[in-house]
Amino acid sequence: MQQPPRVKARAPLYHLAPAAHGGLQDTELAALGLRREDVIDFSVNTNPLGPPPGVLEALAGLDLSRYPDPECRELRAALAQLHGVEPDWILPGNGSSELIFLAAHAFLEPGACAVVQGPTYSEYARACRGAGAQVIEHRALEEAAFHPDVAALVETVRRHNAVLLFVCNPNNPTGVLLDRSALDVIVTACPATLLVLDEAYLPFAPEAISLAGDARILVLRSLTKDMALAGLRLGYAIGHPDVLAPLRALQPPWSVNAAAQAAGLAALRAPKWLEAARAEIARGKRVLCEGLSCLGWRVYPSAASFLLVSVAPAQAAGVRRALLGQGCCVRDCTSFGLPQHIRIGIRTEPECCRLVAAAARLQQRA
């Protein structure tokens, strides 16, 4: 057997384990004798109504023989208008995850420090470790209903001279939303730190105020979530052009393909679709909160399109397996460091009723 060339990658990459993201696995379904169409996937946090109708029409009209616009000019113009900024404040990406990695590799030198407000999406820490940085997790406590201690967070950032601070708002998986005053405290007290504010789920919280356009902050958005474009991978960053410049320099050419650009433009022309989804999510949320609370599970308040639920004293992995056997897939939150919690992406009201019924059957068997 031939040996590979004697070259070495950067040392941190040899210890960078893949992150767990949950979701349906075909091997698991096969072992249970289930098909994908037999299962309602509550493990994802996307629009329960699916993509807007205009998306499929836009995709059908694509000329796949042509390269996509490498600068995404039309999409950037539409997003800039949406957020009230100039187009050079917008950088589309192959999902917000690409932008997370670009930010980490653009701003973090090996040995530098990044702080992550947890428990949260694992790719923030993974991207920073891949850049050779030290990662400090400032973890919100369950006894505080996972609301971060902002003063303690600021102290952690300053003590470690953090270059980047990652905050998901509303947070995944807890659904906790920090208000503008709390975020202002953070950026004012930490002027030498770039706050990377992931607002992927903010469109599901219409009462919340986006910080897009604040020059002190790099905001991340994801059309994957609010417009259900997960299969196309489309996100974007909003930031001062000086902050976006190194991300643009690192980003591979044609990172956002033609299908994603066309779908994004079509989705942005359908604001009423998001309004309808918010209404459906509100109905589903009521069903889940009332039904699961009556079963003795603790449902945490959430500003997002999902709910964090404590199933203690049971283990989340076992509850997930049992629910999957009844055609409902939820997210086991063990990988978030929460082995007695599940996350439930809110689907349509009838689908949420089906999940409550499945959970009730589990309780009857216990």
Side-chain angles (χ1 to χ4, degrees):
M1 182 176 178
Q2 292 181 331
Q3 295 298 312
R6 295 180 180 178
V7 295
K8 292 289 185 182
R10 288 181 294 110
L13 299 179
Y14 289 100
H15 307 286
L16 199 63
H21 290 298
L24 285 168
Q25 302 295 324
D26 289 332
T27 52
E28 186 177 27
L29 290 174
L32 292 170
L34 295 171
R35 301 169 300 170
R36 274 189 181 266
E37 53 267 33
D38 297 327
V39 179
I40 304 172
D41 193 357
F42 292 91
S43 71
V44 296
N45 301 325
T46 58
N47 186 324
L49 302 181
V55 167
L56 292 179
E57 183 180 345
L59 295 177
L62 276 180
D63 180 357
L64 297 180
S65 68
R66 297 179 59 187
Y67 279 95
D69 175 6
E71 298 180 11
C72 303
R73 286 166 293 186
E74 193 175 357
L75 179 59
R76 284 171 54 213
L79 291 169
Q81 183 177 19
L82 175 67
H83 292 285
V85 297
E86 293 298 317
D88 60 354
W89 279 64
I90 303 289
L91 178 63
N94 191 278
S96 56
S97 291
E98 181 195 32
L99 299 163
I100 291 165
F101 276 76
L102 290 176
H105 285 263
F107 292 108
L108 293 171
E109 299 281 352
C113 179
V115 172
V116 174
Q117 175 57 55
T120 194
Y121 184 49
S122 57
E123 296 295 355
Y124 306 135
R126 189 165 174 270
C128 296
R129 292 191 178 104
Q134 175 193 13
V135 178
I136 305 294
E137 183 189 41
H138 183 271
R139 196 169 179 87
L141 302 177
E142 185 170 6
E143 48 264 40
F146 297 107
H147 284 268
D149 182 332
V150 173
L153 174 60
V154 165
E155 197 278 330
T156 298
V157 171
R158 297 179 67 168
R159 183 172 72 252
H160 292 280
N161 297 314
V163 176
L164 297 179
L165 166 61
F166 286 88
V167 175
C168 186
N169 200 47
N171 184 49
N172 173 22
T174 64
V176 170
L177 178 71
L178 288 176
D179 61 23
R180 181 161 194 144
S181 61
L183 295 168
D184 279 336
V185 167
I186 293 169
V187 293
T188 300
C190 307
T193 302
L194 176 62
L195 171 59
V196 182
L197 188 64
D198 190 344
E199 292 184 349
Y201 301 103
L202 200 72
F204 295 115
E207 72 284 358
I209 299 174
S210 173
L211 267 69
D214 189 322
R216 304 169 296 174
I217 298 170
L218 177 63
V219 170
L220 304 181
R221 285 292 190 104
S222 174
L223 291 172
T224 292
K225 307 297 187 297
D226 55 356
M227 292 300 176
L229 302 181
L232 289 175
R233 310 303 307 139
L234 181 60
Y236 57 100
I238 311 161
H240 190 281
D242 290 348
V243 173
L244 293 183
L247 277 68
R248 290 189 200 279
L250 276 175
Q251 189 177 41
W254 307 295
S255 180
V256 182
N257 63 63
Q261 292 185 43
L265 283 166
L268 291 172
R269 299 187 189 107
K272 291 185 177 180
W273 191 253
L274 181 56
E275 293 175 18
R278 287 174 183 149
E280 187 65 38
I281 287 169
R283 290 189 288 269
K285 186 179 286 188
R286 281 193 295 271
V287 167
L288 291 170
C289 288
E290 294 172 7
L292 298 179
S293 296
C294 287
L295 296 175
W297 288 353
R298 181 177 180 182
V299 183
Y300 289 89
S302 172
S305 58
F306 51 82
L307 294 168
L308 182 70
V309 180
S310 171
V311 296
Q315 294 294 306
V319 171
R320 178 187 177 278
R321 281 194 300 272
L323 287 173
L324 184 57
Q326 298 192 51
C328 297
C329 180
V330 299
R331 175 68 153 89
D332 171 8
C333 288
T334 301
S335 63
F336 292 99
L338 301 171
Q340 294 182 318
H341 295 73
I342 59 174
R343 190 193 67 200
I344 301 172
I346 301 168
R347 310 305 303 166
T348 64
E349 186 176 10
E351 290 172 323
C352 291
C353 289
R354 180 173 164 182
L355 176 59
V356 171
R361 287 192 292 271
L362 293 190
Q363 296 289 64
Q364 292 167 359
R365 295 173 186 173

